[in-house]
Amino acid sequence: MKENLIHRAIDVLDANFQEGGFTIPSKGLYPFQWKWDSGFIAIGLAHYNTDHAKKEIETLLNAQWDNGFIPHIVFHTDDDSYFPGHDFHRSDLHPLSSKKYKSTGMTQPPVTGFVLQDMLRIVEDKEDMLDFIKGQIDKVYDNHVYFYENRDPQNEGLVYIYHNWESGTDNSPVWDDIWDTMNPPEYTFERKDTTHVDASERPSKREYDHYLYIIDIAKQNNYDDAKIAELSPFLVQDPLFNAMLIKSNQALIELYEIIGGNDDKITYLKKNQERSIAAFNQKLWDAELGAYVHYDLRNNTPIRHVSSSSFSPLFAAIPSKERAEVLVNTMMERFGGDDKYLCASFDPTNDRFNPRKYWRGPVWINMNWMLYRGLKEYGYTDIAERVKNDSIELVERDGFFEYFDCRKDTGDETRKGYGGDNFSWSAALIIDLLK
Ligand code: 9YW
């Protein structure tokens, strides 16, 4: 059973690996290279094809801009099965964007630092991997410097995202609060996602109007970070994004310590790490909800909802033992009923919860993988095992889909997962969970 699932996962990853040296998340639906997908995919690849794992990261980092920025999508080909493509995003507007690769002008959660450390954990030939890491790590470091120097206008130790696509959790109900503050024009465009996936599992047309409008404002300002901080209607300190930065900071510190030298970089990272963790605990913790929440920097107000992003700080060792206890209790009370798989992407007790729709409720394997690791680290072994087993059960029964219904009984005998099929990070992280 276990070996069979691993073989099927490997088939998914191999079929999605492209000649250009990267892996598409899902054929048709997502035909390019996505930043945080690449990281999770490399973790899976490291278990059975070190060359592909290294190539995945190398290809992504080749598309880095001269200011250290790493884009969220690298458009390696002219595939027109995805909207909005490179002609809408226009990365060339930024003076320091890559001259070689077309990309978006927004980023995604900074996972690459901890991914390098995981690749080292996984492979047998540590020396060979360390050589690879030595050749790449400074690019990831530059990316962290980019964040601290450009995405933290009030110098708080927390970085902002300016678009919901930067969060990785595209249509989370958390963003509804922000959509309420905006009134974008009605755009005319041809959706592609709904030609691949049932529209009931995807964001609405009106939500896409918001997504496009925020990009238009960034483009009018040539993707200038300071201008975006000043003008973007969407400006958020996201707990998931900042937890990934903190997790990756720690990985970079530990990797540089293994490599030796680099004292100035270690000092810079440690200084920011301390500030970031303190600010995270101070600003993003909601004592009443017993969870970490998003902060709307544009409107100066916390966005008080519990989502799977609220639990990601466990993976980055951010909460104290006591606070972790409160957080895990919140999770079990709201998300952990016997009728549900862990872990829904949005609070099942909230009116906005929808178990079928993308980031508004379904289970995502990447979030579960992080949660599993975090829970284990804090000593919640039984709950961690449940998260792991739930993930495996869902994939085994429903297929290597993009997301999964969190309800044990959906009333549908022929149930399947939702979104894209043969989805790369679901395959990659199942391999890591099973090994
Ligand atoms: C889109 C590729 C990406 C993920 C995101 C996920 C989805 C793409 O797919 O966004 O067009 O909306 O939300 O996290 O990186 O797998």
Side-chain angles (χ1 to χ4, degrees):
M1 191 76 108
K2 174 179 153 181
E3 282 309 314
N4 184 30
L5 200 56
I6 292 177
H7 278 132
R8 283 170 51 206
I10 289 175
D11 286 346
V12 169
L13 286 181
D14 284 349
N16 287 344
F17 193 79
Q18 307 293 299
E19 253 176 42
F22 67 97
T23 306
I24 54 171
S26 180
K27 195 158 184 258
L29 185 62
Y30 306 133
F32 310 109
Q33 184 175 32
W34 263 258
K35 180 188 178 190
W36 77 326
D37 295 66
S38 264
F40 295 126
I41 289 163
I43 287 172
L45 291 174
H47 282 284
Y48 75 99
N49 189 335
T50 314
D51 286 345
H52 279 187
K54 289 196 259 183
K55 197 75 201 144
E56 185 76 41
I57 296 301
E58 200 184 310
T59 306
L60 177 76
L61 295 178
N62 277 345
Q64 184 168 38
W65 295 6
D66 288 346
N67 60 350
F69 176 89
I70 301 172
H72 111 286
I73 305 176
V74 187
F75 297 104
H76 291 282
T77 62
D78 276 332
D79 198 310
D80 64 359
S81 70
Y82 179 84
F83 173 85
H86 65 81
D87 48 338
F88 186 88
H89 285 282
R90 295 277 320 272
S91 56
D92 58 295
L93 291 171
H94 193 288
L96 298 177
S97 62
S98 167
K99 303 289 170 281
K100 202 165 157 209
Y101 296 95
K102 291 172 184 156
S103 73
T104 61
M106 66 177 83
T107 189
Q108 261 190 333
V111 300
T112 323
F114 75 73
V115 166
L116 289 180
Q117 194 174 36
D118 270 295
M119 286 164 71
L120 187 61
R121 159 180 69 85
I122 291 163
V123 298
E124 266 172 35
D125 191 343
K126 307 284 182 209
E127 220 168 288
D128 172 71
M129 187 53 81
L130 208 49
D131 270 347
F132 171 76
I133 291 171
K134 277 183 200 159
Q136 304 296 326
I137 190 170
D138 286 351
K139 298 182 197 166
V140 184
Y141 173 82
D142 290 347
N143 187 232
H144 286 219
V145 174
Y146 160 79
F147 281 124
Y148 281 114
E149 306 302 321
N150 297 287
R151 292 291 190 109
D152 184 9
Q154 292 164 35
N155 206 15
E156 296 175 89
L158 294 172
V159 302
Y160 73 70
I161 55 172
Y162 80 85
H163 199 288
N164 53 301
W165 277 333
E166 290 201 312
S167 71
T169 60
D170 304 0
N171 71 335
S172 168
V174 168
W175 313 135
D176 295 6
D177 285 29
I178 297 178
W179 309 148
D180 284 348
T181 69
M182 289 169 57
N183 188 21
E186 293 267 359
Y187 283 81
T188 307
F189 58 93
E190 200 193 325
R191 285 277 285 271
K192 298 286 172 73
D193 56 328
T194 44
T195 65
H196 306 290
V197 168
D198 195 287
S200 66
E201 297 163 23
R202 294 287 305 177
S204 66
K205 152 79 170 67
R206 193 60 187 142
E207 280 172 296
Y208 261 74
D209 286 338
H210 290 85
Y211 305 173
L212 301 181
Y213 179 60
I214 307 168
I215 298 175
D216 264 345
I217 293 171
K219 276 161 64 180
Q220 281 156 19
N221 293 284
N222 299 326
Y223 289 116
D224 180 272
D225 293 299
K227 283 277 182 214
I228 287 173
E230 200 185 312
L231 298 168
S232 178
F234 186 112
L235 207 72
V236 170
Q237 289 162 328
D238 180 323
L240 170 63
F241 197 98
N242 279 280
M244 297 300 95
L245 184 65
I246 287 168
K247 178 75 180 172
S248 285
N249 276 339
Q250 192 57 37
L252 293 182
I253 291 167
E254 289 167 21
L255 287 171
Y256 273 130
E257 279 169 350
I258 297 174
I259 292 168
N262 294 294
D263 292 349
D264 48 338
K265 292 179 190 142
I266 295 176
T267 307
Y268 180 88
L269 288 166
K270 282 189 172 163
K271 185 190 79 195
N272 282 300
Q273 183 72 328
E274 214 173 288
R275 281 173 352 109
S276 289
I277 293 175
F280 198 113
N281 273 312
Q282 200 264 324
K283 192 170 183 186
L284 304 185
W285 179 251
D286 187 313
E288 219 173 290
L289 286 171
Y292 293 97
V293 297
H294 296 70
Y295 191 87
D296 177 347
L297 207 51
R298 172 59 61 237
N299 300 296
N300 252 316
T301 177
I303 312 179
R304 305 192 56 242
H305 299 297
V306 189
S307 64
S308 54
S309 299
S310 302
F311 311 126
S312 61
L314 290 167
F315 176 57
I318 291 166
S320 64
K321 272 246 163 227
E322 295 70 33
R323 192 166 273 185
E325 180 82 19
V326 177
L327 188 60
V328 173
N329 284 340
T330 302
M331 180 178 90
M332 291 313 281
E333 273 163 27
R334 290 176 185 252
F335 295 63
D338 288 342
D339 58 337
K340 286 191 192 62
Y341 292 104
L342 283 171
C343 176
S345 45
F346 191 70
D347 185 353
T349 69
N350 188 307
D351 287 348
R352 295 179 186 173
F353 168 77
N354 178 341
R356 294 172 188 276
K357 213 178 181 69
Y358 211 31
W359 290 97
R360 301 181 77 89
V363 175
W364 287 74
I365 299 300
N366 64 330
M367 300 303 286
N368 270 12
W369 178 84
M370 289 187 269
L371 189 56
Y372 166 71
R373 296 259 302 251
L375 288 166
K376 231 171 59 168
E377 214 41 56
Y378 277 87
Y380 295 96
T381 320
D382 292 348
I383 307 175
E385 281 308 308
R386 178 172 157 196
V387 172
K388 176 176 165 173
N389 293 334
D390 284 0
S391 310
I392 294 167
E393 190 177 321
L394 281 168
V395 169
E396 209 157 41
R397 197 195 43 205
D398 295 2
F400 284 99
F401 275 85
E402 189 180 4
Y403 38 100
F404 302 86
D405 205 307
C406 64
R407 294 168 302 173
K408 290 207 165 147
D409 181 9
T410 58
D412 177 4
E413 290 299 311
T414 61
R415 75 179 271 168
K416 274 196 161 42
Y418 301 135
D421 193 1
N422 297 316
F423 190 73
S424 293
W425 82 38
S426 299
L429 296 175
I430 283 293
I431 297 176
D432 193 57
L433 287 173
L434 285 172
K435 284 279 185 178

